[in-house]
Every structure is written in structure tokens, then in C-alpha cells.
Amino acid sequence: MKQNLTRTLTRLRTTFLSFTPGQRVVAVIGTAALVLAAFMVFRWVSTPNYAPLYSNLASEDASAIVDELDSQGTPYQLANGGSTIMVPRDEVYSTRIALSGQGLPQQGADEGYSLLDNQDISTSEFQEQTDFKRAMEGELAKTIEAVDGVNTAVVHLALPPTKVFADEQDPPTASVLIDTSAGTTFDAEQVQAIVHLVAASVDGLNPDDVTVADSSGKVLSSGETGGLGASARDQQVTEFQQQKSQQIQSMLDRVLGPGNSTVQVTADLDFDKSVSESTTYGKNTKVPPLSSSISTEKYDGPAGSGGASGVVGPDGQMDSLTGGGSGSSRYTKESETSDNAVETTVEHRETAPGAVNSLHVGVVLDSAAAQNINTADVQSLIASAVGIDPQRGDTVEVTTMPFDRTADQAAAAELAAAAKAAKTEQMWQLVRNIGIAVAVLAMLLLAWLRSRRRGRLREETTTYLVEQLRNDALERAAAAAALETSPALTALEGADQVAADGLRRDLANLAERQPDDVAALLRGWLVERS
């Protein structure tokens, strides 16, 4: 084993010394690169894959967890400014169990309904109500923090005491302060989700009594404006105007082509919330009456005599009987009374914010593209498309003007130049790649031709050396057969044979390493012999 190792090292040393200086530099640099690559691969394989252990930790909890990990000898990494602790992936769950046994992390341990765990019979009513309010605030904060984009949430509840002998109670209110992640913006739907989440969690809390603000001091929702803050109202107006503008612009683009018209819409929206109640009384003829009565009175008999007597007539007056003597009198009285049910309709209507008070549209058409277009037709079409109401004060103005195409032409020129530059760059990149490919193929071809030439020279040199050695062996064999063998001569021949074998190996190695030099040397010998 030792001899083989020594022989291998000697062969490597001999091979290295036979290199030219340039080949030695390349060999050293290549060997160093291979060793460095092997070291990097080994380090990458041996480095553990880290996974988050806890995230969004308070500074106190992060410090306590780091101290505990140091005492346990567990490797860790800090991320997100120290709020996230990462450990090797295969140790995440075992480390969490070990830290839970130590009561870590402690964040949230004294928040939420856990505040009510330590109450006893000696707790006062004020302390009980205060702990209950703090518990609800903590639970609501945890719930809001579960929303995507919310880092921290603080909730404050104002719960007025219940009045025993009062018909009306003071309404509860709530305020929410949220700290969002960097680059996160809450839209109106997400804000309303937080508002209704808080309102539904507190008994008797109206969504209009919930105020939401962010950490920059911007009010996201306030009950004073019907659930829409100033920024939300501006955003709604902008969205409404953009929607109408896009509706008109898409229609004009189909008629005149893109870039031949411009539209501007100004809307006045009503964000006031109104409530109206009305009561209507009526009669339904299809419904039978509640009660009805019919009264009929008939009289058939002799007429009275004398001037003062008489009969009550249909009009309720006494008909004097002026005639004397015998006679007859007859009348009929019939009356009907019906009690009908009164139909009552009570209507309660609430007008939601966002109604359109007025809408004003201004359209400018390019005179070059609208030569055969009647502006009155366009105006009528726009009025029908967006619902213009003249009685509401809506207006539509359509006019034609020449458009300034300088910016469009400059943009088109820049786009053309950019496309030409990209095409030129692509062409040069293709030429460069083809040149590199041709150079690589040429180098491979030269290397193949050179290796083929070396192989042929090596084969010729080896064949010539073998022939020469075979001829020398035959000559020595013939000379040895002619002479009488003796022990001294045999020993001398054995030593010569060993020396010849060593020389043969050296020559073979030399022909392997430097075939060109050996070939040149042999050609010189052949020339000298000739």
C-alpha cells in the first residue's frame, strides 16, 4: 500500500514537473477551484434549513426566547428586525414544546379572556366590569390582527353603565387603531369588515359608533359621515367619475378610433343619509265591510183630519192635511249603514348615501377624425348612455377641436427607436452567440485534430520502439546462443535485462508525456543512420 502510494505520488510529481509553466498555472488554479467548489457544496449540504419558530414577537418575548435557546445550545437566526426567530426545520416542533414548558412566549398571556381566570369571590363589581371590558378589547384586538396586512391592533370600548329606571340607554362606542404592514393599503370593504366585526361583537353597538384609524393618524371610518370618511367619499366620487368616463370613452373609441376623443366627467354625489316615514289611509272595495245594517219603515193608513194633524214625510217634515173627511196615506223609508275597515299603509324609507345630485360631461373630438360626425348625434348618444337628466341640472357639451399630436409623434418615434434598438441588440446578441459557438466548435475541432495527431505520433513512436527493442532482443538472444552460458554471464544478462526493462518503461512514459519531442528525436536518429 505504501509503495503504491509512493509510486502514485512520484508519478504525479513527475507529470506535474513535465508541464510547461502555463500548464502548471492552469493545473493549480483548476485544482484550487475544484477544492473550493467541493467545500462550498459540503457547506451547503451541511447547513441546516431554517424555518420560523415564532413571528411578530414582542421585544421582551424575543429576548427571553433567545436566552433560552442559547442555554439549550439550539442554533437560531433572527429576521424581520428581531421579531421573527428561526431554528432548523427539524427542530421547530420540539423547540416549541420545550419553550411552552418554560411559559414562552408570554405575549398574550395576560390579554383576552385569560384576565377573567384569576377572579374570585373577593373581586369587586368595578374590578369585574373593568376586567371584562379589557378582556373584550384584547379578544377583539387578536381577532383584528388575524386579518391579512394588520400587524398590531388596539381596541378601546366605551361601555356606559346600564340605567335601571330609564327607557333609553346610552349607546356604547368603540375605537380601533391598526398598524398595517409596509405597502399595505386598506380599501373601504376591508375597513367596513373591521367595523362590522367589532359592532357584532359588542351588545348594542351600532356600526356608526365605531371609528377606525391607522397608525399614521388617518381616519378610515367614522360614524359622523354615515360610515364614509372624507377620503372614502373622495374615492367613491373618483371611482364613479372614472366609471362614467370609461363608459363614454369606450363608446367613442369604437366610433372615432382610439386617441381621437377625450372625456371629462364631473359628478356631484349626495352623501347625506335621510329617513322618511309616510302613512296612507285608503279603502279597498274588494274587502267586505266589518258590519252593515238596513232599516226600512213603511206606513199605510187613513189620512188624518183637522188642520194640525199630518204625516211625517220623506224629508222629515210634517205634511199638513188640509182636506177634511176620509182618505188614505202611504209612505216608505229605507236606510243602510255599513262600517268599512280603514286600510292604513305605513312606509319607512332610508336613502343610502351616494345619490347623484348632478352630472356634467365634457367631450372633445378631434376635428380631423370627426369631419363626418354630427356632434348633436354624439351628444344625444352620450346623454342616453349615462342617463343625463336635464331636470336634475345635468349637462353635456360636445365640441370638435384639432388635437396636438406632438406628444403622440414623439412617443411613436421613441417606440420605433426602442424597437429598432431592441432588434439591433437582438441581432448582435445572436451574432455574438453564433461567434461564441463557432469559436467553441473551432477549439473543439483543433483539440480533436491535435489529440488525433498526438495519438498517431504516439502509436508510430511506440511501434518503432517496440520493433527496435524486439530486434535488440533477437540480436542478444542470437549472441547468447552462440556463446556458452556461465553463471557470471547469466547474472550480467539478468542485470542488463532489468536495466533494459526500466529503460523501456521510462521510454514508454516519455513517449506518453512528450510524443512530439520523442518523434523529433527519432527522426534525427533516422537521418543520422541514413
Side-chain angles (χ1 to χ4, degrees), residues 504-517:
R504 187 182 297 107
R505 286 195 300 270
D506 294 338
L507 290 175
N509 293 332
L510 182 61
E512 289 289 336
R513 293 194 304 270
Q514 300 178 354
D516 297 336
D517 297 339

Side-chain angles (χ1 to χ4, degrees), residues 51-233:
L53 179 66
Y54 293 109
S55 301
N56 297 326
L57 291 173
S59 57
E60 297 83 1
D61 291 338
S63 177
I65 292 175
V66 167
D67 293 340
E68 186 65 25
L69 294 177
D70 289 335
S71 62
Q72 295 178 2
T74 303
Y76 63 88
Q77 291 181 353
L78 299 178
N80 297 330
S83 61
T84 301
I85 299 178
M86 305 179 68
V87 297
R89 186 177 297 275
D90 54 351
E91 300 182 11
V92 170
Y93 300 106
S94 60
T95 306
R96 285 181 182 174
I97 294 174
L99 293 176
S100 298
Q102 301 294 330
L104 296 174
Q106 297 181 355
Q107 184 181 10
D110 296 333
E111 297 179 358
Y113 291 128
S114 60
L115 291 172
L116 307 177
D117 296 339
N118 298 325
Q119 290 187 352
D120 51 20
I121 194 173
S122 62
T123 304
S124 63
E125 182 179 359
F126 175 77
Q127 182 68 28
E128 182 179 353
Q129 293 178 356
T130 303
D131 290 344
F132 177 73
K133 186 172 78 70
R134 291 177 57 195
M136 292 192 65
E137 291 174 350
E139 290 295 329
L140 288 173
K142 289 181 181 178
T143 305
I144 296 174
E145 288 174 357
V147 178
D148 292 339
V150 178
N151 291 333
T152 308
V154 180
V155 180
H156 294 288
L157 299 177
L159 305 177
T162 304
K163 298 178 181 179
V164 180
F165 302 102
D167 295 336
E168 296 182 358
Q169 304 291 334
D170 294 334
T173 59
S175 61
V176 181
L177 179 66
I178 59 175
D179 180 20
T180 59
S181 304
T184 302
T185 303
F186 269 38
D187 55 15
E189 294 182 357
Q190 292 174 311
V191 174
Q192 290 301 312
I194 296 177
V195 169
H196 289 283
L197 182 65
V198 175
S201 301
V202 181
D203 185 19
L205 180 59
N206 195 313
D208 294 341
D209 296 329
V210 179
T211 301
V212 181
D214 58 8
S215 57
S216 62
K218 180 180 178 181
V219 178
L220 303 179
S221 175
S222 176
E224 298 178 355
T225 56
L228 291 175
S231 60
R233 287 182 298 186

Side-chain angles (χ1 to χ4, degrees), residues 251-252 255-256 363 365-367 369-382 396-400:
M251 179 180 62
L252 294 177
V255 176
L256 301 175
V363 179
L365 307 179
D366 187 8
S367 57
Q371 295 179 356
N372 300 325
I373 301 296
N374 189 0
T375 57
D377 296 339
V378 176
Q379 183 173 351
S380 176
L381 185 62
I382 293 174
V396 178
E397 290 292 337
V398 179
T399 184
T400 58

